Amino acid sequence: MSTTTTTDSITTEIIRHGLLAAADEMARNLCRTAYNTVVYEIHDYGIGIHDAHGDVVADAPGIAVFTRGNDHGIKRAIEFLGRDALEPGDVFILNYPYWASAHTLDPLVFAPIHHDGELIGFASCRIHVLDLKQKDPGYVLDSTDMYQEGLFFPCSRLYRRGVQNDDVFNIIRFNSRMPERTIGDIQAQVSACVTGVRRTQQIAAKYGAGVLTAAMDAINDHGERLARLALAKLPKGTWTAHDFVDSDGIDTDRLIKLNVTVTISDDEMVIDWTGSERDVKGPINLPLGQTEAFCSLIFKALTTPDTPVVAGNFRPLRVVTEPGSVMHAVPPMPTFTLWTGLLGGEVVLKALAQGMPDRVPACSGGDVCSMMGLGVNPRTGEAWLEATNEAVGFGGHAGGDGEDGIMHLSEPGCRNNPVEVLETKSPMFIEWYGYRPDSGGPGRHRGGVGVGRTYRFTAPSTGICLVYKTKTRPWAIGGGRPGESNHVILNPGTDREVVQGGSYNRLEAGEVLVNNTGGGGGYGDPFEREPARVAADVRNGFVSVEAAARDYGVSVDPVTFEVDEEATARLRASR
C-alpha cells in the first residue's frame, strides 16, 4: 500500500465528498433492491467505506451503531483471512456475533477494494435479514447458547473474484424459513458493496491510489483533531451510574445491572463497564464490538455531532469491559436480543449528567419499543413478517423541552414503518396511533411524550414485543421528574388483559396488542415552568388539565385553555 504520497487539503475535501456520495449511493441502491421493509422503510442498515485497515472514512446514516461495528468486523476478518486472501471481486458475509458486532440476523457483507492489484479499502453493508434458521421464527428471546441462534458465516465468500458462490446461497436457501426474501436482501447488500467498490475505484483512477490513501489518512487525522478539540472543552472528572435491563429472557424476575464509570481527562474519555452483570443466561449479552459501537455513538454526540462519522473521531475514546460479562460476550454466550446495546447509551449519559447536566439530556423513553408480527397471510397464503420500531419521548435538557415522539437515540437515521405498509403487507389493522398524554416527565423543561399504537390481528399470528425498559422509569435531571415507562398491553379491557414487556405472543384472530412507549425525563423543577407553556401543553394534548395542576401547579381552563393566575398562585404557594 502506498504510504509516501501526500495530498493537499482541497483534493482531500473533494475526495471526502466523493466517498460520502458513494456511501449515499450505496444506501439508495440497497433500498431500491431490498425485499424487506425493515431495510427500505425503516432504514435498518449500516453502510460504510473504509480504508485498507478497516477504519471507516465515509458512511450513510442508518442505525448509527452498525457502521462503527462494521469497522470491528472487517478488522477481525482481516485477522482471520489474511490480506493476501482478499482478491478483487470477492464479497464476504460475516455474522459470527463475537466478530461481527451483532447477532446472526444482522450479517455484515463487505468487499475489498483493489486498484491495480493493490488493496486500498473496503465497502461494507449490514442489514437485518428475516431468517437464518434461528430456533424461533422472527426473533429469539430465550436462547441459552449461541447454537440456538441460527447459521454462522465466519467470513464466507458470497462471491469469489466476481463469481457467485452457489454453495453458500444454497445453504441459506435450504435452511431459511423465508429464503426468497432473505437471499434477496443479502443480494441487495452485495449490490450496495459493489457500488461502493466501483465508485471508490473511480476515485482512485482519477487521483491515484496513493493520493486516495493519503486523503483517507488525512480524513481520519482531521476527525481525531476535531474530537480532541471538543474533548478539551468538556468537564474533567469521574462519574459512575447504573441502570437495568428488565430481564435476560430466562430469569424473567431478575433485573440485569448495567454499571458504568466514565472518566474524562485531558487526553481521553474512558467508559468502563466493570461491575456490570455476569453469568447472564439469556440472549441480552453484547459482543464487544457492539459495546464499543454504542459508546462511540455517545462520544460522537458529545464531541463531533455535526460532522460525518470517521474512525478518527474515536481515537480519544477507550472502552473497558470484563470478558464474560453482559457487556462482553464470549463463546458460547447467547447474544441474539441486542437490547442491552440500545439501552446502554443512556446509562453513559446518566453518569455524565452528574458532571455536565448542562450538556446532556435526561433519559428518553429509553427503548426502541419494537413490535414484530408474523404468520401466514390469509390474503396470499404466504408467510409474512413485518416489524416497526416506535418513537419515544426525548429527555428535557438545559436548552429546552425534549422532543415528542421521535426515534430513539440509538437509531437516529431510522424511521418507523408506515401504517399503510403494515396494513397492506400483513393481517394487522392499526386501530389507533398517537401521542400519550402525561407520559413526558414534568420539569422546567418537559420530557417529550411517548406514543401508543394499537394493533388488531385479523388472522392467527405471532406478535413479538421487543421492549426491555418497562420496570424502571426514565430518569430526570436537576429536580425534574421521571417519564412514564414503556409497556405493552395484550387484550386491554378484557379478562385476558396482560401488561408486559419483552414477550413472544401466540395470537388468535381478533386479539389486540397495544404498544405504549415511554416519555422522556424532565429537566429542572416543574413548578418553575412558565404557566403559559403549561397551558400550551394542555391545548396541544401533551399534558392533561389534572396533571397541569398536580405536577406543575398551574390551573388551566379545560375549555379556553387560559391560565387562572389566582388559582395557579395558590397551587404553587401550597407546595
Side-chain angles (χ1 to χ4, degrees):
M1 183 177 64
S2 302
T3 57
T4 58
T5 307
T6 60
T7 182
D8 61 87
S9 58
I10 294 175
T11 302
T12 296
E13 191 67 0
I14 292 170
I15 289 174
R16 184 176 74 87
H17 281 275
L19 295 171
L20 287 169
D24 284 341
E25 186 179 354
M26 291 171 67
R28 289 196 299 274
N29 281 356
L30 173 71
C31 290
R32 279 200 296 263
T33 55
Y35 284 45
N36 174 3
T37 61
V38 172
V39 178
Y40 65 78
E41 291 288 354
I42 295 177
H43 291 182
D44 190 329
Y45 59 71
I47 284 172
I49 294 175
H50 310 252
D51 66 17
H53 305 291
D55 289 319
V56 66
V57 293
D59 83 331
I63 291 188
V65 296
F66 272 4
T67 302
R68 184 62 180 150
N70 291 4
D71 287 23
H72 187 93
I74 291 172
K75 291 180 179 183
R76 292 305 301 267
I78 294 171
E79 293 174 7
F80 180 67
L81 296 168
R83 291 181 181 277
D84 292 342
L86 308 174
E87 298 184 282
D90 285 353
V91 183
F92 297 87
I93 183 171
L94 169 62
N95 74 336
Y96 184 60
Y98 317 99
W99 297 354
S101 310
H103 66 186
T104 47
L105 291 192
D106 290 341
L108 169 62
V109 172
F110 67 94
I113 305 172
H114 291 82
H115 178 74
D116 291 338
E118 177 184 1
L119 179 64
I120 58 173
F122 296 88
S124 72
C125 177
R126 185 195 305 272
I127 67 170
H128 180 85
V129 300
L130 297 182
D131 194 279
L132 285 172
K133 205 183 179 182
Q134 69 281 1
K135 78 179 188 70
D136 299 315
Y139 223 87
V140 177
L141 307 185
D142 60 355
S143 51
T144 54
D145 63 46
M146 59 183 276
Y147 305 108
Q148 302 169 35
E149 298 185 343
L151 298 171
F152 297 121
F153 294 99
C155 308
S156 304
R157 282 178 175 82
L158 294 170
Y159 285 77
R160 183 187 296 272
R161 298 190 66 83
V163 178
Q164 180 171 301
N165 183 357
D166 289 334
D167 291 343
V168 170
F169 282 101
N170 283 333
I171 289 171
I172 296 170
R173 181 173 290 109
F174 285 90
N175 283 277
S176 174
R177 299 175 180 89
M178 308 183 83
E180 180 182 7
R181 294 173 70 183
T182 299
I183 290 174
D185 286 338
I186 292 172
Q187 292 284 30
Q189 292 178 269
V190 172
S191 174
C193 289
V194 169
T195 299
V197 170
R198 182 172 64 247
R199 294 303 185 208
T200 306
Q201 287 174 332
Q202 289 171 349
I203 295 172
K206 182 174 183 178
Y207 295 98
V211 172
L212 173 58
T213 298
M216 288 177 167
D217 291 342
I219 288 167
N220 272 322
D221 290 344
H222 181 253
E224 178 183 4
R225 288 195 297 273
L226 291 177
R228 291 195 182 280
L229 286 170
L231 182 68
K233 299 175 183 178
L234 295 179
K236 306 301 185 286
T238 298
W239 310 279
T240 297
H242 67 270
D243 211 332
F244 298 92
V245 181
D246 282 354
S247 79
D248 67 353
I250 301 295
D251 296 330
T252 56
D253 294 327
R254 175 191 176 191
L255 290 169
I256 305 301
K257 184 178 181 180
L258 310 181
N259 189 80
V260 70
T261 298
V262 182
T263 299
I264 300 178
S265 65
D266 292 334
D267 299 322
E268 64 178 356
M269 176 186 289
V270 180
I271 300 178
D272 185 348
W273 293 97
T274 300
S276 294
E277 207 83 25
R278 300 183 66 87
D279 301 319
V280 176
K281 297 177 183 177
I284 65 166
N285 301 290
L286 287 186
L288 175 60
Q290 180 79 351
T291 300
E292 292 175 342
F294 81 74
C295 291
S296 297
L297 174 60
I298 300 301
F299 183 78
K300 176 73 175 171
L302 283 170
T303 54
T304 54
D306 299 323
T307 61
V309 169
V310 297
N313 292 150
F314 310 108
R315 290 173 183 167
L317 172 66
R318 182 159 56 93
V319 179
V320 178
T321 60
E322 296 178 298
S325 72
V326 70
M327 309 307 290
H328 186 157
V330 296
M333 291 171 65
T335 62
F336 201 97
T337 311
L338 294 171
W339 253 242
T340 306
L342 306 180
L343 276 57
E346 292 191 281
V347 187
V348 179
L349 292 179
K350 188 176 183 181
L352 291 170
Q354 300 169 39
M356 52 185 85
D358 57 330
R359 292 177 180 263
V360 301
C363 188
S364 75
D367 204 324
V368 301
C369 301
S370 292
M371 206 296 294
M372 178 180 292
L374 59 98
V376 175
N377 192 330
R379 296 195 295 264
T380 65
E382 297 179 353
W384 68 274
L385 190 158
E386 296 297 332
T388 190
N389 300 336
E390 296 293 3
V392 295
F394 266 42
H397 50 90
D401 294 345
E403 292 292 332
D404 301 297
I406 62 173
M407 304 310 285
H408 186 254
L409 60 85
S410 64
E411 47 180 17
C414 293
R415 313 179 297 191
N416 59 15
N417 221 337
V419 169
E420 296 83 356
V421 171
L422 293 174
E423 292 185 339
T424 299
K425 291 182 173 290
S426 74
M428 293 190 293
F429 178 66
I430 311 303
E431 293 190 331
W432 181 82
Y433 185 31
Y435 288 127
R436 290 181 62 205
D438 297 335
S439 58
R444 183 172 74 252
H445 297 152
R446 172 179 58 79
V449 298
V451 303
R453 192 187 313 222
T454 301
Y455 301 81
R456 183 177 293 276
F457 292 82
T458 61
S461 305
T462 296
I464 305 173
C465 301
L466 294 158
V467 188
Y468 283 85
K469 187 176 176 61
T470 67
K471 297 178 182 178
T472 57
R473 296 177 66 180
W475 46 267
I477 293 178
R481 298 181 190 170
E484 289 298 315
S485 298
N486 310 286
H487 61 277
V488 176
I489 308 174
L490 186 61
N491 295 314
T494 72
D495 57 4
R496 295 171 294 146
E497 177 176 307
V498 178
V499 180
Q500 59 189 10
S503 54
Y504 203 98
N505 303 285
R506 310 285 187 180
L507 305 172
E508 297 299 324
E511 292 201 81
V512 173
L513 188 151
V514 182
N515 192 4
N516 286 323
T517 76
Y523 186 101
D525 185 349
F527 271 54
E528 295 178 2
R529 187 170 177 83
E530 299 92 327
R533 296 181 68 192
V534 178
D537 288 337
V538 174
R539 182 174 62 248
N540 290 326
F542 297 140
V543 176
S544 66
V545 170
E546 295 77 16
R550 179 186 69 240
D551 297 331
Y552 294 93
V554 177
S555 177
V556 180
D557 187 287
V559 177
T560 66
F561 302 115
E562 297 293 327
V563 175
D564 184 330
E565 295 184 1
E566 291 185 2
T568 295
R570 289 195 299 271
L571 284 170
R572 291 194 161 182
S574 67
R575 186 179 67 159

